[in-house]
């Protein structure tokens, strides 16, 4: 006699990362801006050694360098920007805790035709009435209510490393996704 023991299914968690291509573009853009700034500061005609321009220039240069380093760190670290699990949807850089499935009214996918940029693909999570997404950044409550009730929580699918269809399939295991085109 052979007995089969059925093991409980392990809950699946899908984690999605920021697109490295977009982070690389931001780093290149900021590095070019920093190089132009340094070139203008060193060889520009309006530089006066006796004025406070030097201190402002050093401050702005250090700020731009810090921003380039921040995006470089994000590029190297490749953080998870969206986690879908049985607990709910989590955006670790934005939410204190996952937004539970019972706190979500609906999930929409909006595809916007682009003119200057390529097509944009957004995932919009509308919290249930009376529920606010647990944001990390303290925001004035009325502003938070106004933004989340009108616009929901927006996730750019075009900015993720993974295929948007896979992200939508991951969410559809727990909640249907409404497709809207504009």
């Amino acid at each position: 006699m052979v007995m089969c023991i059925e093991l409980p299914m392990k809950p699946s968690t899908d984690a999605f990362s920021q697109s490295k291509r977009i982070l690389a573009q931001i780093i290149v853009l900021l590095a070019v801006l920093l190089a132009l700034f340094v070139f203008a500061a060193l060889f520009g005609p309006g530089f006066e050694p006796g004025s406070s321009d030097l201190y402002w220039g050093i401050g702005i240069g250090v700020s731009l360098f810090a921003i380039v380093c921040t995006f470089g760190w994000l590029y190297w670290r490749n953080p998870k920007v969206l986690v879908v699990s049985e607990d709910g949807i989590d955006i670790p850089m934005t939410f204190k805790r996952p937004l539970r499935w019972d706190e979500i009214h609906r999930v929409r996918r909006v595809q916007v035709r682009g003119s200057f940029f390529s097509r944009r693909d957004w995932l919009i999570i509308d919290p249930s009435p009376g529920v606010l997404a647990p944001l990390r950044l303290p925001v004035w409550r009325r502003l938070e209510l106004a933004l989340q009730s009108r616009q929901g929580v927006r996730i750019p699918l075009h900015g993720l490393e993974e295929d948007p269809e896979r992200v939508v399939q991951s969410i559809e295991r727990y909640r249907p996704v409404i497709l809207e085109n504009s």
Side-chain angles (χ1 to χ4, degrees), residues 4 15 60 87-88 95 110 150:
C4 290
I60 293 171
D87 296 333
F95 291 166
V110 178
R150 289 188 192 124

Side-chain angles (χ1 to χ4, degrees), residues 28-43 61 64 68:
V28 167
L29 179 67
L30 289 173
V32 167
L33 184 62
L34 179 61
L36 285 174
F37 174 77
V38 168
F39 181 78
L42 293 176
F43 302 108
L64 282 172
V68 169

Side-chain angles (χ1 to χ4, degrees), residues 7-177:
L7 297 174
M9 293 280 294
K10 181 181 173 188
S12 68
T13 300
D14 294 325
F16 305 101
S17 299
Q18 178 72 37
S19 172
K20 289 187 177 189
R21 180 180 49 88
I22 290 175
L23 287 174
Q25 289 173 348
I26 291 171
I27 290 169
V28 167
L29 179 67
L30 289 173
V32 167
L33 184 62
L34 179 61
L36 285 174
F37 174 77
V38 168
F39 181 78
L42 293 176
F43 302 108
F47 180 69
E48 294 179 18
S51 70
S52 64
D53 291 347
L54 178 63
Y55 300 117
W56 281 104
I58 290 172
I60 293 171
V62 167
S63 299
L64 282 172
F65 182 72
I67 292 171
V68 169
C69 288
T70 300
F71 280 102
W73 177 73
L74 284 174
Y75 180 77
W76 174 74
R77 188 169 168 243
N78 197 17
K80 305 294 183 220
V81 294
L82 176 64
V83 178
V84 179
S85 69
E86 66 179 13
D87 296 333
I89 294 179
D90 190 16
I91 307 171
M93 292 180 152
T94 307
F95 291 166
K96 289 180 185 174
R97 62 168 177 78
L99 188 60
R100 296 187 324 258
W101 293 112
D102 62 334
E103 295 176 332
I104 296 174
H105 175 65
R106 67 179 173 184
V107 180
R108 298 178 287 150
R109 180 180 182 187
V110 178
Q111 296 174 330
V112 180
R113 283 188 232 147
S115 54
F116 183 68
F117 297 108
S118 62
R119 190 170 97 188
R120 298 294 180 200
D121 204 354
W122 294 90
L123 191 68
I124 302 172
I125 301 167
D126 296 320
S128 296
V131 173
L132 289 175
L135 300 178
R136 283 189 189 280
L137 181 67
V139 180
W140 187 42
R141 184 156 173 83
R142 286 189 183 186
L143 177 64
E144 189 175 359
L145 272 171
L147 290 175
Q148 287 191 28
S149 65
R150 289 188 192 124
Q151 298 178 357
V153 177
R154 293 174 173 257
I155 301 167
L157 293 176
H158 54 273
L160 297 179
E161 191 75 29
E162 197 69 41
D163 180 42
E165 296 300 327
R166 185 169 165 344
V167 177
V168 170
Q169 287 172 357
S170 176
I171 291 173
E172 283 184 333
R173 287 183 297 172
Y174 304 102
R175 176 81 60 183
V177 177

